[in-house]
Amino acid sequence: MNKYVLCVIGFVVLLSIAGANGGGECGRNSPDMEAMKLIPCAEAASDENASVSRSCCLQIQKLGKNPKCLCAVMLSNTAKLSGANPEVAITIPKRCNLANRPVGFKCGPYTLP
């Protein structure tokens, strides 16, 4: 395992020990916990020219059912620590060609295309 993966796992364990807010954007799980599901999207979230894998698109499709959660995950500390660029990350649902993506949803200072 590389240093990044170990760092992220340690961070998530720390969050789990501290406890997560049960009524947050992502329900019982914190956005940082949900961000771990988007590991297949790491390259696509940092490089707008990278292809988006099928496994990434499947996870984005699931999270996209709750746009508030998807937004919180894309802007989470875990996403930032992984090197994700929010401006690039918000383009992933469109790059996956998801028909039911939350077009126009305001995500912090960004708008989902």
Side-chain angles (χ1 to χ4, degrees), residues 13-31:
V13 169
L14 195 65
L15 284 174
S16 299
I17 293 168
N21 181 351
E25 297 92 341
C26 299
R28 292 189 323 248
N29 293 334
S30 72

Side-chain angles (χ1 to χ4, degrees), residues 16-96:
S16 299
I17 293 168
N21 181 351
E25 297 92 341
C26 299
R28 292 189 323 248
N29 293 334
S30 72
D32 288 297
M33 292 291 284
E34 291 297 314
M36 294 301 294
K37 296 176 184 175
L38 296 183
I39 288 175
C41 302
E43 187 177 352
S46 60
D47 179 2
E48 62 188 319
N49 296 315
S51 62
V52 184
S53 70
R54 176 167 160 67
S55 58
C56 171
C57 290
L58 289 172
Q59 291 300 325
I60 291 290
Q61 186 173 27
K62 289 177 190 174
L63 281 176
K65 292 176 183 175
N66 179 351
K68 287 182 182 180
C69 179
L70 178 62
C71 178
V73 168
M74 289 182 177
L75 299 178
S76 70
N77 289 327
T78 299
K80 290 175 193 167
L81 289 171
S82 75
N85 177 344
E87 236 175 314
V88 174
I90 65 164
T91 67
I92 293 175
K94 182 177 182 178
R95 290 161 55 201
C96 287

